[in-house]
Amino acid sequence: MIRFQCPYCGVGCGLYIDDRSKVKGDPNHPANFGDVCKKPLYYPKVLRKGRVKRPLFRESKGSDFREVSWEEAIQIAVERLKSLSPHEVYFYVSGQLFTEDIYVINKLVKGFLGTNNIDANSRLCMATAVTAYKMAFGSDGVPCTYEDVDDADTFLFIGSNAAISHPVLFRRVLKRRREHEGVMVITVDPIETETARKSDIFIQIRAGTDTVLLNSVLYILYKEGWINWDFVKNHTEGFEEALREAEKFPPEVASSVCGVEERYIHLLAEAFAKSKKLISFWCQGLNQSSNGTMKNLALINLHLATGRLNGKGCPFSLTGQPNAMGGREVGYFPNGLPGYRDVRREEDRKFMESFWGCGRINPEPGPTITEAVDLILDGRIKLLWVVATNPAVSLPNLRKVEEALKRVFLVVQDSYLNDTCEFANLILPAAQMGEKIGVMTGSDRTVTLCKPFSDPFGEAKADWEVFCELAKALGFADAFQYSSSEEIFREFVRATEGRLCDLSDMDYDRLPLRWGKRWIYEDLRFPTPSGKARFHPARFELREGFGSFVLITGRLKNQWHTMTRTGKSEELLKGEVPPFVVMNQEDAEELGVQEGDLVRIISKYGSVDRVVRLGNVKRGHLFAPFGYPREFGEPTNLVLSDRTDPLSREPDLKYEKVEVVRL
Ligand code: SF4
């Protein structure tokens, strides 16, 4: 029985593979206790389909690839890197990698190449939650754990279709409701999702207006005398400023902005005031927005105003990817360093410089991935190294991205021949989950060891091995003499000793283990300068644009991100293709469109054709799943803009003004 963590969503379910190559839920894993959703069950079937067998190279993008040896491939990469300054190269990595892989590439880039030109695809996912958590609590550790589901009586899902995106966790919530009278599930969403259908209360909000709704709830809490003053005075600061902003949105104003009846705003306020324990879960509906950090802060403000932390509740950001939390521990954003350190803090840089034995770490955070695309187009970044992610499908404003990918010298390090490989100069085959050993951290801070159950495909290597070979060829051999993944893990956890995310007591033999206490702020002391949690005024802004409809994007039930693996399973594709758009019945009638018709969705940035499905989407809204690679049609992100949240720099992937025409 070989154990590993699910390679898909951030719930981080423990799995095992039995003697007959069947994947099952690990009954002993604290994230799922044996439960499992459909996606990973087909993993052994898709593992070896469409793989990269050996390194491939072509000098110019128009020519054919030729197979090269690993030695030659590394030599090609090294020559390119040496011909450029550190600021002309950029690394784009992934929350799908193991912690050891992420640690080594960050050590190489930030410690030894002397640049912070690295970002992760978590920029598209939970960069906003990270920003808001840090602003409010001083760190981005999730304050509670899954155990808190088991004694809560109120659950709020806002901007999260957890029933399909985090199904095992959602089932835990439903189990709690089934077994305990009076448990209530509330969903706030513009679409009647599966989560909404299974909730007790569904609040159908106009897309992009969550900040207003949540500010209005704070307003009511104050007016009704439902503020927990003891908590606010002793453990927080900034309440007055946050309240002043909230006072702009009395319920009658919020009702008209959000398209929500006033009684629902009161109901939410009452839930925060009177429930025994309230957990609010959110995901990309709040994160992928140009007003995203404010949405997150508006929600956290409600928890602070009512003292809903620890035994009384938690603002729980659901992580998109299986190891986005591990990436945060390593610090894989352009400002991060291991152990929740930051390149902007001198003491953090000094510690890591001495720990790594490297030169000076650059104190300036590097550009984010959407900024890097602009820098490529400006000619300032000349080499892009993409690892375990598929930007040719997943980044916004894809025509612009395609142009950048055509211009740059592109290295793709991946297991599969995905859409991004179409633009590559050099393709390096990477080992997949099940072919290598390493750890991942799920949403609730549980670190799981993933053991291999198969040999690497073809000449594929573990990502950390590729990075070490690169580092050695670049002349940094002494710092990258690792003989195993476990050795890297031991070094990484030493760097976390004494930090909030202290993993230093962990070793491979003892996993899975969760770092930190059940409640990381149990003593209500926060890692902020004052030791208090901080309210922030949550300012509302909605960017308008041309078009009669608001297009919202989101996940498919049985597919994962750009379908690189799950799209290879017929079972998981059922009902998910051809690419579709969900439209309100009345809107469809006005357009003269019926279920099954083909429509064109047109924005300022491009257009995509989609088959119409009718559903309960708020009037004037459309829902189109993202992630379709070109194999199945045009990627949805062709019509999305690359504007970002001003604080988190996370793209506004869930809101685009569009027109629709029947074809
Ligand atoms: Fe995997 Fe998420 Fe499903 Fe768990 S809920 S089995 S982590 S996809």
Side-chain angles (χ1 to χ4, degrees), residues 126-170:
M126 51 65 182
T128 300
V130 167
T131 305
Y133 266 149
K134 283 185 176 170
M135 287 171 74
F137 299 121
S139 104
D140 62 325
V142 173
C144 66
T145 72
Y146 297 144
E147 280 161 64
D148 288 281
V149 169
D150 304 334
D151 62 359
D153 67 337
T154 305
F155 299 93
L156 169 63
F157 288 89
I158 178 163
S160 154
N161 185 5
I164 68 158
S165 299
H166 299 89
V168 167
L169 172 69
F170 190 68

Side-chain angles (χ1 to χ4, degrees), residues 184-209:
M184 180 167 63
V185 180
I186 307 169
T187 292
V188 178
D189 207 292
I191 311 156
E192 192 187 20
T193 58
E194 195 168 321
T195 307
R197 283 194 291 278
K198 290 180 174 158
S199 297
D200 302 285
I201 293 155
F202 169 41
I203 303 175
Q204 195 165 28
I205 189 173
R206 191 169 286 143
T209 63

Side-chain angles (χ1 to χ4, degrees), residues 6 8-13 15 35-37 39-40 165-169:
C6 177
Y8 299 123
C9 89
V11 176
C13 294
L15 307 176
D35 197 4
V36 63
C37 77
K39 288 187 277 281
S165 299
H166 299 89
V168 167
L169 172 69

Side-chain angles (χ1 to χ4, degrees), residues 599-639:
V599 293
R600 180 157 296 161
I601 302 170
I602 307 159
S603 78
K604 193 175 148 190
Y605 305 93
S607 66
V608 292
D609 295 347
R610 293 290 185 261
V611 175
V612 170
R613 291 187 189 177
L614 298 179
N616 185 5
V617 185
K618 202 167 180 74
R619 283 215 68 182
H621 292 59
L622 303 168
F623 170 76
F626 70 87
Y628 288 111
R630 285 158 186 79
E631 180 187 350
F632 298 109
E634 298 139 321
T636 304
N637 288 10
L638 281 165
V639 296

Side-chain angles (χ1 to χ4, degrees), residues 88-101:
E88 290 175 316
V89 303
Y90 196 87
F91 291 80
Y92 185 44
V93 302
S94 166
Q96 303 273 325
L97 293 167
F98 285 162
T99 297
E100 295 83 347
D101 302 320

Side-chain angles (χ1 to χ4, degrees), residues 440-487:
M440 289 196 169
T441 308
S443 276
D444 84 331
R445 300 180 262 116
T446 299
V447 182
T448 300
L449 179 65
C450 306
K451 288 188 174 170
F453 50 81
S454 166
D455 290 332
F457 181 81
E459 294 179 14
K461 290 178 189 273
D463 292 278
W464 67 264
E465 288 179 291
V466 182
F467 300 140
C468 286
E469 285 183 19
L470 178 68
K472 287 175 193 164
L474 283 166
F476 308 121
D478 289 352
F480 292 87
Q481 288 294 353
Y482 303 110
S483 58
S484 69
S485 186
E486 190 167 9
E487 200 180 330

